[in-house]
Amino acid sequence: MDYRTMFADVRRRPGSYGLGGTFREVSAFVNGCDAGNSWGLLIGFREWLALKLGCEANLTWPGLILKLANVDASLHPSGSNLSATEEERAVEVLFAELDEFLSARKGASDISRILEKYVRQNS
């Protein structure tokens, strides 16, 4: 399955996938896709996000997305009760980062490069 295409479609038409378009719903949908792929779809995604933030990957990927979207994750630890502006920004950042990550990570060697870069940065 081409997840980049599917996620682009979810971004455009969340209602077609039974989603209201909130950050929590979209995150749960993406986690479901990862689970349906034996947790292999998003290998390296947390590290990818941590590299962008210049931090360690000690948060969940939704928490890292909130940080990238400049949403105070301490006020919204589960991505709930976001303002409309924060919701929109968080969802946009999530889909943009997913697309960039999946584009860069086409095979096992690409995953290894992402993880190796993360380890070098945090050693």
Side-chain angles (χ1 to χ4, degrees):
M1 169 165 282
D2 180 5
Y3 283 95
R4 285 183 69 208
T5 301
M6 185 185 73
F7 290 147
D9 194 43
V10 172
R11 183 183 203 174
R12 278 189 308 276
R13 305 173 319 122
S16 296
Y17 293 84
L19 304 172
T22 67
F23 179 72
R24 284 184 67 169
E25 289 175 327
V26 173
S27 295
F29 181 84
V30 172
N31 264 332
C33 292
D34 193 25
N37 284 276
S38 300
W39 304 105
L41 180 64
L42 298 181
I43 291 175
F45 189 48
R46 276 185 344 158
E47 292 80 6
W48 168 272
L49 297 170
L51 282 167
K52 289 193 166 218
L53 287 163
C55 67
E56 291 189 26
N58 57 353
L59 294 175
T60 62
W61 65 257
L64 294 168
I65 290 289
L66 290 175
K67 284 184 76 128
L68 273 173
N70 295 314
V71 173
D72 188 348
S74 67
L75 296 176
H76 311 287
S78 63
S80 59
N81 301 319
L82 301 177
S83 70
T85 303
E86 290 170 328
E87 282 282 1
E88 185 176 329
R89 194 167 56 238
V91 169
E92 285 302 310
V93 169
L94 171 55
F95 281 121
E97 291 301 327
L98 269 174
D99 187 61
E100 189 177 339
F101 171 73
L102 292 173
S103 175
R105 194 215 78 167
K106 298 215 184 285
S109 63
D110 296 323
I111 295 168
S112 295
R113 275 192 286 276
I114 291 167
L115 296 174
E116 183 180 310
K117 186 176 179 181
Y118 172 77
V119 168
R120 273 196 319 266
Q121 176 180 305
N122 291 291
S123 295

